Amino acid sequence: MKKFFLAPSILSADFARLGEDTQKVIDAGGDLIHFDVMDNHYVPNLTMGPMILESLRNYNIIAPIDVHLMVKPVDNLIPQFAKAGATFITFHPEATEHIERTLQLIKESGCKAGLALNPTTPLNFLDYILEKLDLILLMSVNPGFGNQSFLPSTFNKLRQVRKIIDKNFLDIILQVDGGVKLDNIAEIAFSGANSFVIGSGLFKYSNYDLIIKKIRKELKHAHSRSIH
Ligand code: DX5
Ligand code: ZN
């Protein structure tokens, strides 16, 4: 079965017990830790900086950390997040003057690079840089807050990006972020995503093991639907 990457968004974790809560979702089966960085400028909210990521590494969180930068400008923060222990760094094309330069900076700092597209950001931002991407993130809500509703227009966009990736025989992770829940994850996977950011849809439950087991079961259904 093809690999699906579950990316718990610690934006919905208990910030007073961040290390413990992060370890708990990894133990329950999370693959990547999704780390949302907001600056009250590119998006109307303020969250975490590189110091907090470094604290998680010092707490012995060894899972890959997927940093989603919702900040403008982007470039200054890249070496800081890389040094703090980021694995992936994803940014929004509207937040940087020179997309290709920002991608180069991420690669030079030793991280994998992702591009995040807002619900109305056109796909032609992928032209010319596709081969340089390790991850494409499709926002299925407007960035800035957890616990918003999934925008159904994302399904069509997902199918289009999946076609572009496959047509070019590329091994790019296609990630969806916003409003992912147990009851829509199968449809999202069936539309072409293979990584799922899940915040409130996971952290609102007390038993992470149980909810992740249920999610995996849903993903299995999506997989068998796609091969029949
Ligand atoms: C929104 C963030 C998301 C958020 C998702 O701007 O990028 O990662 O945490 O949260 P849920 O899963 O609650 O929609
Ligand atoms: Zn995010």
Side-chain angles (χ1 to χ4, degrees):
M1 184 173 148
K2 86 171 181 207
K3 177 76 180 156
F4 288 122
F5 301 96
L6 263 190
S9 166
I10 55 172
L11 185 64
S12 293
D14 180 352
F15 273 46
R17 295 193 180 80
L18 195 57
E20 200 183 319
D21 221 11
T22 303
Q23 190 59 53
K24 256 174 135 179
V25 283
I26 295 165
D27 294 343
D31 300 299
L32 315 170
I33 291 302
H34 188 79
F35 190 100
D36 284 312
V37 183
M38 304 185 188
D39 66 348
N40 191 37
H41 172 67
Y42 181 64
V43 292
N45 199 358
L46 189 62
T47 60
M48 314 175 266
M51 274 164 51
I52 297 185
L53 199 154
E54 196 179 348
S55 304
L56 288 177
R57 288 300 189 206
N58 291 339
Y59 187 79
N60 214 17
I61 299 294
I62 49 174
I65 297 184
D66 155 31
V67 173
H68 177 193
L69 291 180
M70 287 162 276
V71 301
K72 188 178 179 173
V74 178
D75 293 358
N76 280 348
L77 283 174
I78 289 171
Q80 296 186 49
F81 273 104
K83 193 162 166 261
T87 314
F88 289 85
I89 299 182
T90 298
F91 65 98
H92 288 252
E94 300 90 344
T96 184
E97 294 295 338
H98 306 287
I99 298 169
E100 211 276 338
R101 175 177 293 148
T102 302
L103 283 172
Q104 272 188 43
L105 271 172
I106 297 175
K107 294 283 169 115
E108 279 163 13
S109 69
C111 294
K112 293 182 179 170
L115 195 71
L117 304 180
N118 285 330
T120 60
T121 303
L123 295 182
N124 57 22
F125 275 106
L126 299 172
D127 295 349
Y128 313 111
I129 50 158
L130 195 63
E131 278 81 7
K132 298 185 175 159
L133 296 175
D134 299 294
L135 182 149
I136 297 170
L137 184 162
L138 293 190
M139 289 302 303
S140 36
V141 297
N142 290 299
F145 301 94
N147 204 16
Q148 304 181 74
S149 302
F150 182 91
L151 292 167
S153 56
T154 317
F155 288 124
N156 196 22
K157 211 170 176 186
L158 269 173
R159 284 189 284 270
Q160 294 180 52
V161 179
R162 170 50 62 201
K163 259 193 211 147
I164 296 172
I165 294 173
D166 290 353
K167 194 177 75 193
N168 290 283
F169 304 102
L170 292 167
D171 187 20
I172 301 175
I173 295 175
L174 179 50
Q175 187 176 62
V176 172
D177 186 2
V180 178
K181 307 276 176 212
L182 183 63
D183 64 3
N184 61 11
I185 201 165
E187 200 59 42
I188 295 168
F190 188 64
S191 303
N194 64 339
S195 177
F196 313 85
V197 174
I198 181 159
S200 51
L202 169 62
F203 284 93
K204 72 175 176 196
Y205 297 96
S206 50
N207 189 337
Y208 302 153
D209 290 278
L210 188 67
I211 184 79
I212 289 187
K213 249 185 216 126
K214 287 184 179 170
I215 288 172
R216 294 275 181 211
K217 210 165 152 196
E218 284 295 307
L219 290 175
K220 224 176 192 171
H221 287 158
H223 177 70
S224 48
R225 226 177 113 193
S226 64
I227 54 175
H228 287 133

